[in-house]
Amino acid sequence: MSDSPAGAGGGTGVVDLLGVLAYAELTAFLRLAEDAATLAPSLTDRAALSGLAAVEYAHFRLLRDRLASLGADPEKAMAPFVEALDDWHAQTRPGDWLEALVKAYVGTGIAGDFYREAARHVDADTRELVDEVLAEEVRSEFVVDRVRTALAGSPQVAGRLALWARRMVGEALSQGNRLALARPELALLLVSESAGAGEGDADLIGIGRLFARLTEEHGKRMAALGLVPGP
Amino acid sequence: MSDSPAGAGGGTGVVDLLGVLAYAELTAFLRLAEDAATLAPSLTDRAALSGLAAVEYAHFRLLRDRLASLGADPEKAMAPFVEALDDWHAQTRPGDWLEALVKAYVGTGIAGDFYREAARHVDADTRELVDEVLAEEVRSEFVVDRVRTALAGSPQVAGRLALWARRMVGEALSQGNRLALARPELALLLVSESAGAGEGDADLIGIGRLFARLTEEHGKRMAALGLVPGP
């Protein structure tokens, strides 16, 4: 963890960024734990999804400590993002174990994409933290195994899960748009080529490109799960 | 983690012991996460209780890996204890944040006591593991702070929480009795002076002493929380 003095690299955009990622990790931890408790078909599966949850908590702690080291109050930094992220989870509550697995994979995948986008635009200390989070990236191979096994036994499940995944991304883009409008400094930080730059049109183009990259990465994850719809 | 060959110190009693502790940690993780998600009054409190939950998951992983290194199937080792522990949680579902805090403190405390009892009776490799778990013992000072602050503002709460804590211990002893009857090798391991020894009367005396030690430690925790009833 960095020992840099309060304020180093701590503009509003960076605090917003760390705040939204911190709350995303904390709430992902709690939702994954809930899904593990209520939907896992065996103790082994329950333990495996719990393991993903525990990694999310470790990420949360890194982000919270970074906020504190910047002199920011983690609770205040997270507060503006609670509603959007809670709404996303409310709109994407899994109905069964396979949906929970796909959500875990897609959700941590989107979070990872945001880390990567963020890493392009922040100061060196924060980038180091982002690298740290990505380095211990969630071991979610078991999710791929489980979903592929389920698809092999029952191909018609693929259509349902592909729609489910698409809904999650749609809801994520929708909440992302809402946040970008409410927190322009955060949006600027994520989309502009250098933090702080950017004008009206450039922002829109940047947001379009960001969403394009996110949906492209999502497509790769769908392929990994065997959920790509036919041509 | 130990590299000892399968079976070293891996009698049924030891596998039972690791199995019950592993499931206790896994389910404590999930229940603490649920309480954090549903009962915490602030994001800071939610994060703090989530931190306790994450520590429980780390303990679970140590125990599961130890079972695997003994050549035991963790799922099978945990299975006999699911009902008793689930029943305990069902009987002790917190109704509010203070009850959740007291449960976290009392529950992890009882688990710690069992680790200590276990450490007296198992092989050196398993004892090393138990020491490892105890060394990173849950940082639950925030629970003591929160409960004491609540009591200072409203002394009549103490009676309610003291009763709540007593109910949790009562349920724990009741489920413990049930398990001791169902898994005599586990009970023997916990109560006999040397693993494998012990006859009928000696067992009963041992169980009595074990319960006496557990309730004594519980009393110390109640005092720490400020929940000791008057003389």
Side-chain angles (χ1 to χ4, degrees):
Chain A
M1 199 45 48
S2 161
D3 286 313
S4 62
T12 309
V14 169
V15 169
D16 269 3
L17 177 69
L18 293 169
V20 68
L21 290 176
Y23 188 69
E25 296 288 0
L26 179 60
T27 195
F29 162 73
L30 295 169
R31 299 301 179 130
L32 286 171
E34 183 186 352
D35 293 344
T38 56
L39 298 174
S42 73
L43 292 180
T44 302
D45 286 326
R46 189 176 296 168
L49 196 60
S50 297
L52 296 194
V55 172
E56 303 291 299
Y57 183 80
H59 291 172
F60 160 74
R61 199 169 43 194
L62 288 170
L63 294 158
R64 181 194 60 189
D65 292 350
R66 175 70 183 144
L67 279 165
S69 81
L70 289 173
D73 177 341
E75 171 131 10
K76 283 188 189 142
M78 292 190 282
F81 309 107
V82 168
E83 203 182 329
L85 284 158
D86 284 359
D87 281 356
W88 184 74
H89 281 288
Q91 297 294 331
T92 59
R93 184 177 284 276
D96 61 24
W97 175 238
L98 282 175
E99 289 188 0
L101 288 176
V102 171
K103 180 173 176 180
Y105 193 72
V106 168
T108 55
I110 293 175
D113 291 342
F114 268 105
Y115 281 118
R116 270 176 219 98
E117 292 295 328
R120 304 169 61 205
H121 300 297
V122 294
D123 60 288
D125 279 354
T126 304
R127 191 175 308 125
E128 208 173 287
L129 165 70
V130 169
D131 287 344
E132 204 173 332
V133 168
L134 286 173
E136 50 163 300
E137 190 153 313
V138 175
R139 307 277 83 203
S140 46
E141 286 81 11
F142 93 93
V143 172
V144 176
D145 284 351
R146 296 289 196 287
V147 173
R148 284 190 165 269
T149 303
L151 295 182
S154 166
Q156 67 275 23
V157 170
R160 172 169 72 87
L161 291 181
L163 279 177
W164 166 244
R166 199 176 302 164
R167 187 169 129 209
M168 274 185 286
V169 175
E171 293 288 345
L173 294 180
S174 156
Q175 298 297 340
N177 250 325
R178 180 175 154 191
L179 283 181
L181 289 170
R183 313 294 289 189
E185 291 193 359
L186 173 62
L188 261 180
L189 188 145
L190 275 173
V191 304
S192 60
E193 284 312 305
S194 61
E199 291 168 25
D201 281 356
D203 295 354
L204 274 180
I205 292 168
I207 289 179
R209 283 182 186 152
L210 171 64
F211 281 12
R213 284 195 296 273
L214 292 177
T215 49
E216 191 182 334
E217 290 304 314
H218 175 69
K220 290 180 192 164
R221 283 189 290 273
M222 290 299 93
L225 289 174
L227 291 180
V228 175
Chain B
M1 201 42 50
S2 162
D3 286 313
S4 63
T12 309
V14 169
V15 170
D16 270 2
L17 177 69
L18 293 169
V20 68
L21 290 176
Y23 188 69
E25 296 287 1
L26 179 60
T27 196
F29 162 73
L30 295 168
R31 300 301 179 132
L32 286 171
E34 183 186 352
D35 293 344
T38 57
L39 299 174
S42 74
L43 292 180
T44 302
D45 286 327
R46 188 177 298 167
L49 196 60
S50 296
L52 296 194
V55 171
E56 303 292 297
Y57 183 79
H59 291 172
F60 160 74
R61 200 168 43 193
L62 288 170
L63 293 158
R64 181 194 59 188
D65 292 350
R66 174 69 182 146
L67 278 165
S69 80
L70 289 173
D73 176 341
E75 171 131 10
K76 282 188 189 143
M78 292 190 283
F81 308 108
V82 168
E83 204 183 328
L85 284 157
D86 284 359
D87 281 357
W88 184 74
H89 281 288
Q91 297 295 329
T92 59
R93 183 177 284 274
D96 61 24
W97 175 239
L98 282 174
E99 289 187 2
L101 287 175
V102 172
K103 181 174 176 181
Y105 193 72
V106 167
T108 57
I110 293 175
D113 290 342
F114 267 105
Y115 281 117
R116 269 176 219 98
E117 291 295 327
R120 304 169 60 204
H121 299 299
V122 293
D123 60 288
D125 280 352
T126 303
R127 191 175 309 127
E128 208 173 286
L129 166 69
V130 169
D131 287 344
E132 205 173 332
V133 169
L134 286 173
E136 51 163 298
E137 190 153 317
V138 175
R139 307 278 83 204
S140 46
E141 285 81 10
F142 92 94
V143 172
V144 175
D145 284 351
R146 295 289 196 290
V147 173
R148 284 191 165 268
T149 303
L151 294 182
S154 167
Q156 69 275 24
V157 171
R160 172 168 74 85
L161 291 181
L163 279 177
W164 166 244
R166 199 175 302 165
R167 185 168 130 210
M168 274 185 287
V169 175
E171 293 289 344
L173 295 180
S174 156
Q175 297 298 340
N177 249 327
R178 180 175 154 192
L179 282 181
L181 288 170
R183 312 293 291 187
E185 292 193 358
L186 172 62
L188 260 180
L189 188 145
L190 275 173
V191 304
S192 60
E193 284 312 305
S194 61
E199 290 169 25
D201 282 356
D203 295 353
L204 274 180
I205 292 168
I207 289 178
R209 283 181 188 155
L210 170 65
F211 282 11
R213 284 194 295 274
L214 292 177
T215 49
E216 190 180 335
E217 291 304 314
H218 174 69
K220 290 180 193 165
R221 282 188 292 273
M222 290 300 93
L225 289 173
L227 291 179
V228 175

